[in-house]
């Protein structure tokens, strides 16, 4: 597998998949304010978009890992693409009925497909090539995914948000018939982007079926159970780290448009505010490109500690300021969260041996942080205001500082004795 001819093609295939699912996943950040308006939702209700999506990862990561253990990585990729296509096509009846639970169901099914892709792709990349450069490869692959993540909010905002908004006062003055027509028209906007994504997933899934991918060493064999992971403390604590990292990131970008709208910037529309999400993701891309190099030269836990402190400080600055300073500080967090996942993942699955698949599934399950943190922030926002809700990401970064400085060291030392 160390032969470059054997490695390059599968790496390109998997990186291409990472681009596609990150583009799709990050349209959700624009979908939240859109459905909040189209379905007349509170901040908490609108945040359930992320709960439905990332909840799929939590519920399905372990059975997906078992599926891949039995049928292989390629079968996982193809199944994931076809499942994601089914979820995307479900947006058509959801738009026609404007029934919010149906939107959530469509997102959950899409997430099920992406779970197959993510459980497959991340460990696949980590074992292709030199193990000492696994973090670097993952960071480079994540950078490719970040290109999609950067384009997703921008493309989504062009389809789902408006350059000139209808004011709340105007909407409040609508008759029942006018309001119904307006909300139905808003709901119809999701059809073009999501039906296009569905067609793309279907086409790539069928194409991938005919592409030959090499079988990695150790693809067969005992995978262990989640209970077995309890003896690997570095994996358990790393899973909590992924929960905090992703929960904080998803929470920030989920409410970034809402946050920008109340930050005191005159004349800011939702479509313009969505550019701050694009900026956030562009900075994630920049950080991951730099990380692909830096993680080959520097000590990954030290980088994780520095980035966690920087993110913590920036969220604090944002919460204690207003206007462009507040929003740009929050957007800049993306630069420092960019390399957190590849570091956390590789630290967490280190030395797992035959338990690597199950450990990877546990880490993917921890993505449920993206389902839990945004609703918590939504509840705080509804009760105390959107700015105070950002105390939750700050607490997440506090834990990541601990894990990088002390937690992972003690846990790793105990794991080597197992």
């Amino acid at each position: 597998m160390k032969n470059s001819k054997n490695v390059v093609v599968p790496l390109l295939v998997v990186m291409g998949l990472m681009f596609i699912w990150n583009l799709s996943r990050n349209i959700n950040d624009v979908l939240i304010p859109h459905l909040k308006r189209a379905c007349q939702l509170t901040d908490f209700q609108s945040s359930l978009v992320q709960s439905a999506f990332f909840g799929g990862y939590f519920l399905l990561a372990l059975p997906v890992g078992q599926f891949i253990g039995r049928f292989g990585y390629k079968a996982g990729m193809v199944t994931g693409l076809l499942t994601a296509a089914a979820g995307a096509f479900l947006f058509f009846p959801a738009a026609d009925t404007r029934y919010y639970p149906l939107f959530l169901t469509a997102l959950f099914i899409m997430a099920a497909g992406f779970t197959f892709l993510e459980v497959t792709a991340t460990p696949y990349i980590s074992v292709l090539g030199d193990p000492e450069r696994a973090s670097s490869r993952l960071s480079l692959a994540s950078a490719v995914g970040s290109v999609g993540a950067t384009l997703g909010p921008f493309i989504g905002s062009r389809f789902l948000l408006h350059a000139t908004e209808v004011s709340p006062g105007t909407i409040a003055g609508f008759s029942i018939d006018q309001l119904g027509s307006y909300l139905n028209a808003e709901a119809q906007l999701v059809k073009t982007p999501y039906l296009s994504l569905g067609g793309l997933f279907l086409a790539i899934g069928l194409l991938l079926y005919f592409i030959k991918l090499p079988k990695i060493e150790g693809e067969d064999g005992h995978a262990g159970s989640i209970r077995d992971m309890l003896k690997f403390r570095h994996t358990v604590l790393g899973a909590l780290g992924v929960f905090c990292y992703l929960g904080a990131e998803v929470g920030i970008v989920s409410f970034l448009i809402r946050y920008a709208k109340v930050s005191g910037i005159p004349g800011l529309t939702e479509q313009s505010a969505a550019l701050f999400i694009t900026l956030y993701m562009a900075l994630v891309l920049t950080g991951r490109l730099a990380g692909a190099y830096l993680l080959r030269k520097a000590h990954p836990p030290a980088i994780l500690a520095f980035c966690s402190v920087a993110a913590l400080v920036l969220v604090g600055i944002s919460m204690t300021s207003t206007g462009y300073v507040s929003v740009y500080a929050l957007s800049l967090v993306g630069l420092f969260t960019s390399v957190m996942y590849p570091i956390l993942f590789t630290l967490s699955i280190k030395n797992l041996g035959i338990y690597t698949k199950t450990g990877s599934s546990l880490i993917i399950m921890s993505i449920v942080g993206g389902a839990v943190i945004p609703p918590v922030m939504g509840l705080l926002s509804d009760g105390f205001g959107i700015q105070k809700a950002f105390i939750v990401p700050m607490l997440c970064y506090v834990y990541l500082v601990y894990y990088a400085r002390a937690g992972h060291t003690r846990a790793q030392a105990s794991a080597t004795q197992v």
Side-chain angles (χ1 to χ4, degrees), residues 135-219:
S135 290
S136 178
R137 280 195 306 277
L138 279 174
S139 187
L140 178 60
S142 296
V144 174
S146 292
V147 176
T150 302
L151 292 174
F154 179 79
I155 294 172
S157 69
R158 266 44 195 175
F159 281 103
L160 303 177
L161 304 178
H162 304 286
T164 303
E165 296 177 357
V166 179
S167 69
T170 301
I171 295 174
F174 283 163
S175 67
I176 294 177
D177 289 341
Q178 288 175 323
L179 179 62
S181 297
Y182 169 74
L183 297 179
N184 288 334
E186 288 292 300
Q188 294 295 311
L189 295 177
V190 305
K191 285 185 175 180
T192 298
Y194 281 95
L195 292 181
S196 299
L197 286 173
L200 182 62
F201 297 146
L202 181 60
I204 296 175
L206 294 175
L207 179 64
L208 186 59
Y209 179 80
F210 296 100
I211 295 177
K212 184 177 180 179
L213 295 180
K215 192 175 185 180
I216 67 170
E217 294 179 10
E219 187 169 340

Side-chain angles (χ1 to χ4, degrees), residues 306-382:
F306 172 78
C307 291
S308 300
V309 170
L312 176 64
V313 170
L314 285 169
V315 177
I317 291 173
S318 180
M319 291 179 65
T320 55
S321 58
T322 58
Y324 282 106
V325 172
S326 177
V327 182
Y328 277 122
L330 207 55
S331 300
L332 191 57
V333 172
L335 180 64
F336 296 99
T337 64
S338 57
V339 295
M340 289 182 178
Y341 184 69
I343 295 174
L344 287 166
F345 187 90
T346 51
L347 288 176
S348 299
I349 67 169
K350 189 175 182 179
N351 298 328
L352 290 185
I354 62 173
Y355 299 101
T356 299
K357 280 197 189 77
T358 306
S360 299
S361 293
L362 178 62
I363 300 304
I364 301 301
M365 288 173 68
S366 302
I367 290 177
V368 74
V372 174
I373 298 300
V376 173
M377 293 178 66
L379 285 173
L380 289 175
S381 176
D382 289 334

Side-chain angles (χ1 to χ4, degrees), residues 266-286:
L268 188 70
T269 65
E270 286 185 345
Q271 189 177 92
S272 298
L275 293 175
F276 289 109
I277 301 179
T278 299
L279 174 61
Y280 183 103
M281 293 301 171
L283 290 171
V284 170
L285 170 60
T286 302

